Amino acid sequence: MQASEFVEITEGQTKLLVPSLSLTAKVPPKTPAFFNPSAKLNRDLSILAYRAFLPRLAEKTFADGFTGIGARALRVAVEVPEIQQVYGNDVNPTAIETAKSAAALNSVSDKCRFSVDEVCKFLQKGNEIGERFGIVDLDPFGTPARHIDCVLRSVLDDGLISITATDTAVLCGVYPEVCLRRYYGRPLNNDYGNETALRLLTSLIALTASRLELAIKPIFAHAAMQYLRVYAAVSVSSSEANNVYDNIGYTMHCFQCGNRTSTREFDGNKKCELCQTKMKVGGQLWTSPLHDPDFVKKMSAGAEKQNKKLLDAALEEIDVPYYFRADEISSRLKTHPQSVSKVIEKLQSSGFKASRTPFNPGAFKTDARIDQILQVF
Ligand SMILES: [Zn+2]
């Protein structure tokens, strides 16, 4: 490694050694090592989530399967000091050498173990005495689908997993066949495709867990242009695993009039009750809540402005598995767009439930049907 290729930066309270090119290039390069500076808010949220989960954690260990230059792992070591051991792994030896140097800069070398291995081999090994980890993070390039089993097998009972997917084009509906084979569900390429995507990812994790006699409970999820991310508590329970299908269903969407509903049973021939057009099926997917309000409240208490806004939207979000964009409503009505807060106020004063959603700042959730929304305006 040439020292000049790497520069020291501080993110949160942690010193990181990052490839200098990653700070200037439009798309961060994979060589000599990968680092994405724009994922800072994403890593800030991780720190908030891991801190909020601490009281529930029996073994305070953290494993990062695709650690790169160690950005998330080092931040956990420094900024969640209660975590006693941090394990970071990557297939890139240059990245791992850099992570080790940065651990020394932060005086956390004692609690950090960095390794170069295939991710599932790393996870299967467990900690120093072969035990599972308290928290396992998986943030791969592209799809996490092939690694979900390994992650679930490497986490302790009552532990936490956090999983990122960056194959957003697949999950949001550009390649529906690929989505079906990777996630066992159909995507919806529409205005709220990213929420459907998060629910497809969550349902794959839940169904995989149930096969392993495990149950998951999502406690927070968020999405940006380039990624989707789910946090879920994992417990060993065959009886809860038996109930996994209580949380799985379908989102039906009418591409003609914009009507959308959630159903339990698959119906490939369902017609829209408003305009009789054949509806598109999204799923199978997770239809239960993606956020645990108590947990999100804890995260929000320590958050900075931008993330606080996101977390507060998650806190107030009503339990509906899809949203409406404000500009979608105004374009159907051929009027000027209204602010989301105005729309919510108006729906509430007409007797409907309505809220913001963390999945899109320009959107709202409501229990009103599309024709009822249009009528209100
Ligand atoms: Zn319709």
Side-chain angles (χ1 to χ4, degrees), residues 254-259 272-277 279 370:
C254 174
F255 277 84
Q256 187 64 37
C257 74
N259 185 23
C272 172
E273 59 183 343
L274 299 178
C275 75
Q276 302 307 311
T277 305
M279 294 184 96
I370 184 81

Side-chain angles (χ1 to χ4, degrees), residues 10-16 43-44 47-48 50-51 54 71-83 106 108 111 304:
T10 302
E11 188 183 283
Q13 301 154 29
T14 309
K15 294 170 188 152
L16 301 174
R43 288 187 287 269
D44 288 347
I47 297 301
L48 294 169
Y50 302 151
R51 276 190 200 146
L54 275 175
R72 184 175 275 120
L74 290 163
R75 288 198 58 185
V76 170
V78 173
E79 297 172 45
V80 196
E82 293 87 347
I83 301 279
N106 290 287
V108 290
K111 65 161 95 174
E304 286 170 63

